[in-house]
Amino acid sequence: AQKITQTQPGMFVQEKEAVTLDCTYDTSDPSYGLFWYKQPSSGEMIFLIYQGSYDQQNATEGRYSLNFQKARKSANLVISASQLGDSAMYFCAMREGSGGSNYKLTFGKGTLLTVNP
Amino acid sequence: DSGVTQTPKHLITATGQRVTLRCSPRSGDLSVYWYQQSLDQGLQFLIQYYNGEERAKGNILERFSAQQFPDLHSELNLSSLELGDSALYFCASSVAGEGITDTQYFGPGTRLTVL
């Protein structure tokens, strides 16, 4: 079973509008971290935001926020006031806290976001 | 700029050849990770080093090997290259090498093309 599921292969948004990118995860580990990365067409992977399983509040970093719903096992990325430079592939990733997976990130397949002027 | 450097940026080679990819972690980071990104497999973890020692292995082929040197830079060696090895290879680094809050910062990647 996939540990990270991103159901939206592609999303379109108008400049200055908000957009939500979906991510659901699967783990039985009570301790885990969720990460979002941005990959522009140039190829680099840019860390955006982090949410820990024990965090009581949703994470925010500038225009990025995380809608964390633990019971639903979802960690959706919200980008407010979209800019043309936000056009990129976005990856959700998880790092589990114990067992054999506490060293690596497990990635979803990504969502390609296109911001229209 | 994440502070992780990778060289070369692009590499074009032939089947059967051997190449070496180099990575320098962010200042202060002790752990280095290697990932492979391909269209069919997505992003896959290959191997992790922490302070010079191998810590974990993922989906790394026997034809691939890596090491981390005393100055903490790392090299990924790919040998007997096949067409299917064409991919974007990322190096990432982090401070602790474990734990849910230990953020991995990625380098710009090396795009390998095997002809």
Side-chain angles (χ1 to χ4, degrees):
Chain A
Q2 281 194 355
K3 289 208 168 186
I4 298 287
T5 303
Q6 295 181 252
T7 57
Q8 309 151 313
M11 287 282 286
F12 292 89
V13 66
Q14 287 297 121
E15 198 177 4
K16 299 179 186 176
E17 292 185 351
V19 63
T20 298
L21 306 183
D22 294 343
C23 172
T24 57
Y25 57 91
D26 181 24
T27 181
S28 57
D29 195 327
S31 175
Y32 52 88
L34 296 159
F35 302 80
W36 277 90
Y37 289 86
K38 171 184 178 181
Q39 186 175 34
S41 58
S42 52
E44 71 269 31
M45 291 285 286
I46 303 166
F47 166 69
L48 296 177
I49 195 166
Y50 161 82
Q51 180 83 46
S53 59
Y54 298 117
D55 294 342
Q56 296 296 312
Q57 293 189 325
N58 288 338
T60 59
E61 288 286 349
R63 294 187 298 110
Y64 304 109
S65 61
L66 229 155
N67 183 359
F68 181 47
Q69 297 188 45
K70 196 169 179 177
R72 294 187 177 185
K73 292 190 175 179
S74 74
N76 299 336
L77 177 69
V78 181
I79 305 174
S80 63
S82 295
Q83 301 172 357
L84 296 178
D86 294 334
S87 293
M89 185 72 87
Y90 288 81
F91 291 95
C92 179
M94 178 172 64
R95 186 170 196 169
E96 292 166 297
S98 57
S101 297
N102 65 348
Y103 48 89
K104 67 175 182 179
L105 288 170
T106 301
F107 286 86
K109 294 188 183 300
T111 296
L112 181 62
L113 176 66
T114 303
V115 180
N116 294 317
Chain B
D1 185 349
S2 67
V4 180
T5 60
Q6 287 187 251
T7 56
K9 193 168 178 59
H10 300 279
L11 201 47
I12 301 174
T13 188
T15 55
Q17 295 298 305
R18 173 189 168 94
V19 297
T20 297
L21 282 52
R22 183 187 168 103
C23 166
S24 292
R26 294 187 321 155
S27 177
D29 285 358
L30 297 179
S31 192
V32 167
Y33 311 76
W34 287 96
Y35 290 84
Q36 179 193 59
Q37 185 180 32
S38 61
L39 282 175
D40 53 345
Q41 297 290 327
L43 272 152
Q44 298 281 323
F45 168 77
L46 295 178
I47 196 164
Q48 179 202 9
Y49 281 82
Y50 178 81
N51 204 20
E53 299 289 327
E54 181 185 304
R55 176 166 278 188
K57 268 187 173 179
N59 302 321
I60 188 165
L61 299 172
E62 285 191 13
R63 300 183 285 109
F64 296 0
S65 65
Q67 59 185 126
Q68 186 179 28
F69 294 87
D71 68 351
L72 300 178
H73 91 270
S74 178
E75 292 181 357
L76 179 67
N77 300 296
L78 314 177
S79 61
S80 302
L81 285 167
E82 302 174 359
L83 296 177
D85 298 328
S86 295
L88 186 54
Y89 291 85
F90 284 109
C91 168
S93 75
S94 70
V95 173
E98 63 181 2
I100 65 172
T101 63
D102 187 49
T103 299
Q104 295 180 26
Y105 293 90
F106 283 70
T110 293
R111 186 167 295 281
L112 173 66
T113 303
V114 182
L115 300 176

